[in-house]
Amino acid sequence: MPNHIHGIIVITGAPERATSQSPLQSGPTRRSLGAFVGGFKSAVTKRISELRGSPHTPVWQRNYFEHIIRDEDSLNRVRQYIFENPARWEFDRENPLATKPEAATAWSS
């Protein structure tokens, strides 16, 4: 869909242990998923602003959704979802040309 992005990020290496101490810096921990997403959004925003000639125009919604893929079946389901997702644009409530927009409660649990 043209209004959001999906991706699969593979994290390798030994996991860092959580501590009960407060970090001395603000913002995401270095080399964390939050730092990766923040860096990606920053780089893309800079490039979009250059192309549009409109600095300081918001590009992203706040935050992001993450899901941990723990096995091959889950990975295959996520890949299929990402592959099929663009075909759902005609149902997206944020699409001004949606032919069959989903109800606001379609994804509520």
Side-chain angles (χ1 to χ4, degrees):
M1 288 188 197
N3 67 342
H4 66 276
I5 186 171
H6 292 274
I8 298 173
I9 299 168
V10 178
I11 300 173
T12 59
E16 292 186 22
R17 300 274 183 220
T19 68
S20 61
Q21 299 172 343
S22 297
L24 298 176
Q25 65 182 38
S26 62
T29 303
R30 238 178 116 239
R31 300 179 51 94
S32 67
L33 179 60
F36 174 84
V37 171
F40 176 82
K41 285 181 170 184
S42 177
V44 171
T45 299
K46 181 178 178 185
R47 182 68 176 130
I48 288 172
S49 294
E50 289 170 358
L51 291 171
R52 284 183 181 167
S54 58
H56 311 297
T57 302
V59 174
W60 302 99
Q61 69 181 26
R62 288 189 64 181
N63 220 329
Y64 58 92
F65 174 78
E66 63 186 59
H67 171 78
I68 298 172
I69 299 171
R70 299 188 186 277
D71 57 39
E72 199 71 26
D73 288 338
S74 180
L75 175 60
N76 289 331
R77 283 191 303 275
V78 170
R79 285 177 172 158
Q80 189 67 33
Y81 176 83
I82 292 170
F83 178 77
E84 294 173 352
N85 191 255
R88 300 207 46 78
W89 181 232
E90 72 176 300
F91 305 107
D92 194 303
R93 292 183 317 279
E94 294 182 20
N95 176 359
L97 303 176
T99 57
K100 305 170 192 172
E102 291 179 327
T105 58
W107 293 93
S108 298
S109 41

